[in-house]
């Protein structure tokens, strides 16, 4: 039971990463990169992801399926948080001339799929 509570709290805190759409809106439209096609594409990708994410089942769905599904929901929420960070990073790189903030200054390869190792 303790493990389920810890996983739920961790995933809740991890879900606090702001939406890439909100992050893109916080950037300055006066930046020379703002009107570029790459920036427009990055903002469109962020809006599409945000719309898809809202259709995903949440914690209530996991509770309905039982205690073992909470781990699956927590893993899905963690994946969503990683995708939000990657998209916010992409929006910043394409739409802003400023250096990356600390929260987005990471190697994007850490979230890349790992090759499967089969015996």
């Amino acid at each position: 039971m303790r493990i389920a509570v810890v996983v739920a709290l961790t995933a809740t805190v991890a879900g606090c990463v702001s939406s890439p759409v909100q992050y893109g809106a916080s950037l300055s439209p006066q930046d020379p990169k703002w009107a570029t096609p790459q920036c427009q594409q990055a903002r469109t990708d962020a809006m599409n992801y945000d719309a898809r994410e809202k259709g995903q089942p949440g914690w209530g769905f996991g509770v309905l399926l039982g205690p073992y599904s909470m781990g699956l929901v927590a893993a899905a929420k963690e994946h969503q948080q990683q995708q939000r960070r990657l998209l916010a990073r992409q929006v910043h790189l394409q739409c802003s001339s400023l250096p990356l903030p600390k929260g987005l200054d990471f190697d994007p390869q850490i979230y890349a799929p790992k090759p499967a190792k089969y015996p």
Side-chain angles (χ1 to χ4, degrees):
M1 183 66 176
R2 283 186 195 163
I3 294 172
V5 172
V6 170
V7 168
L9 289 174
T10 303
T12 302
V13 171
C16 292
V17 174
S18 68
S19 165
V21 174
Q22 293 170 344
Y23 182 75
S26 71
L27 297 174
S28 173
Q30 280 78 30
D31 196 297
K33 286 182 155 185
W34 183 261
T36 63
Q38 294 87 358
C39 177
Q40 292 173 356
Q41 181 63 41
R43 290 188 317 226
T44 302
D45 292 344
M47 286 191 323
N48 291 340
Y49 178 78
D50 201 36
R52 279 193 323 263
E53 188 179 73
K54 288 183 181 175
Q56 299 286 330
W59 289 107
F61 182 73
V63 170
L64 288 176
L65 292 178
Y68 297 109
S69 64
M70 295 303 284
L72 295 173
V73 173
K77 293 292 182 185
E78 177 67 22
H79 178 71
Q80 287 175 350
Q81 185 250 354
Q82 292 172 355
Q83 291 301 312
R84 275 190 231 116
R85 285 187 71 201
L86 284 170
L87 280 171
R89 184 179 197 280
Q90 187 66 22
V91 167
H92 183 89
L93 290 173
Q94 298 298 327
C95 300
S96 178
S97 301
L98 298 173
L100 282 169
K102 279 190 172 191
L104 299 177
D105 192 15
F106 60 89
D107 181 17
Q109 291 300 317
I110 61 174
Y111 295 136
K114 309 291 187 281
K117 295 180 183 178
Y118 297 107

